[in-house]
Amino acid sequence: DIQLDRLGQTHLWDHIGFLLTAIAVYQICSNAEKWRSRASWALILMPLVTAVLLIIWFADRQLGDLIIYQILKLPEGQTFLGLDGRFAGLAANPAYMQDMCLVSSGFIWIGMIYFFKERRILGLSLFGVFLAANVLMLVWTGTRSGMLALPIMLLLGGYIVASRRSITQVIGVLGILALLFLVVQSVMPDTNRTSLVVRADEDDRTPMWFYYLTLAPSLPFGAGLNYEETYMPPLEAAYLHGRLPPHNEFLCAWMVAGLPGEFVFLLIMITTHLWSYRGLRYSISLGHNDMSNMIRAGALLSSAGFWIDHIFLETPLNSIHFAVLLGLILSDKNFGIQDRVERVSCG
């Protein structure tokens, strides 16, 4: 039965849109450093409007409410800080907001590392302020996966671009992150702080994972795009939401396409990131410290952070953010080939 209900059709078009976006970015950015740079800046600046509105809202609550609710006109029932104390900004869901902040932070962090190496104080300062704003918004969303992915991503950023690695770098990164979290906590409204504390004690993932894990062996080829309707877990949360996906990218891939789908998913994720990392490290070994390396490292780091984050969410293969990142990573193949040719010729 290949009939798709509304939810199945949504998943189908999400995946088609993902594939087309990744292909388009790849085609546009291949052999075009200018377009690679523009795509990177687009990802960096995604949360900027929300960050500016948040600053205005803090400075003048009345003016902020006027701009947000009267001029921009948020949909009915949606609030800037979130109805349950979880910050959503201008997005419909806190998870969408944290995706934007996480992807943007990967590029910003790489930019800060390069600005620090080049002693460019202005760029380092501006990116530092933007990173602080992203961390603030990400923590306020109350998404535990994002708060777990962020420190791992920042540590990875120092690792993949460092010419030398030491424990001092790890301590420095953790110190910067701890300082940012202290600043966020000091200005967080009580409703958001309470929501964060409550969510820290919740365990709403384990029952879902256990349910879908017990189903997996009986579905070696998956259950198709309609699996959420056919195999809705017998949990209270599922009936409240009308559906409840596994909230894990690996389980999502299995439920849709079984073992073959899981294999393809892992193949895409592992090979693209490994290939990109090797090309980046070789370029660094040649002493390259230019824009192409910043884009290469930023796309790799943001994509890795996105992947870590979605261990606790749905598959990233329906996200426009990840589609652009994947297109950027794949469009870098010509630079990688050039590096390998240069290595051979030098040998």
Side-chain angles (χ1 to χ4, degrees), residues 6 110 231:
R6 181 182 300 178
I110 293 297
Y231 295 98

Side-chain angles (χ1 to χ4, degrees), residues 151-170:
I152 297 175
M153 190 175 72
L154 296 187
L155 288 170
L156 280 175
Y159 178 84
I160 65 176
V161 300
S163 54
R164 291 185 303 169
R165 295 158 180 163
S166 66
I167 190 63
T168 305
Q169 295 171 345
V170 175

Side-chain angles (χ1 to χ4, degrees), residues 37-47 324:
S37 177
R38 289 174 177 175
S40 300
W41 276 108
L43 292 172
I44 292 171
L45 297 176
M46 280 189 301
V324 175

Side-chain angles (χ1 to χ4, degrees), residues 40-187:
S40 300
W41 276 108
L43 292 172
I44 292 171
L45 297 176
M46 280 189 301
L48 181 61
V49 173
T50 305
V52 171
L53 287 174
L54 191 61
I55 293 172
I56 295 174
W57 189 84
F58 266 118
D60 189 331
R61 177 70 179 271
Q62 187 175 1
L63 176 61
D65 286 342
L66 173 66
I67 296 173
I68 295 166
Y69 297 108
Q70 300 300 320
I71 298 177
L72 297 179
K73 297 185 182 299
L74 281 183
E76 185 177 353
Q78 183 178 336
T79 64
F80 191 59
L81 290 183
L83 291 173
D84 57 352
R86 298 181 62 197
F87 180 71
L90 302 180
N93 188 309
Y96 301 151
M97 188 70 239
Q98 69 112 39
D99 278 350
M100 288 190 288
C101 292
L102 201 63
V103 170
S104 175
S105 296
F107 283 95
I108 290 173
W109 183 240
I110 293 297
M112 289 179 65
I113 293 174
Y114 276 88
F115 287 146
F116 178 78
K117 289 181 177 180
E118 297 294 321
R119 303 295 190 269
R120 295 168 62 177
I121 304 302
L122 179 60
L124 180 64
S125 301
L126 291 175
F127 270 36
V129 172
F130 198 1
L131 179 64
N134 277 347
V135 172
L136 185 148
M137 292 188 292
L138 188 148
V139 172
W140 283 14
T141 63
T143 51
R144 294 158 294 181
S145 58
M147 286 182 277
L148 174 65
L150 183 65
I152 297 175
M153 190 175 72
L154 296 187
L155 288 170
L156 280 175
Y159 178 84
I160 65 176
V161 300
S163 54
R164 291 185 303 169
R165 295 158 180 163
S166 66
I167 190 63
T168 305
Q169 295 171 345
V170 175
I171 295 173
V173 170
L174 292 178
I176 293 173
L177 192 61
L179 179 62
L180 289 174
F181 273 106
L182 287 175
V183 172
V184 169
Q185 284 288 333
S186 67
V187 299

Side-chain angles (χ1 to χ4, degrees), residues 234-257:
L235 305 171
E236 181 182 358
Y239 293 101
L240 291 176
H241 294 286
R243 67 183 183 92
L244 203 63
H247 282 71
N248 176 277
E249 56 194 347
F250 306 111
L251 286 173
C252 283
W254 187 286
M255 290 303 297
V256 171

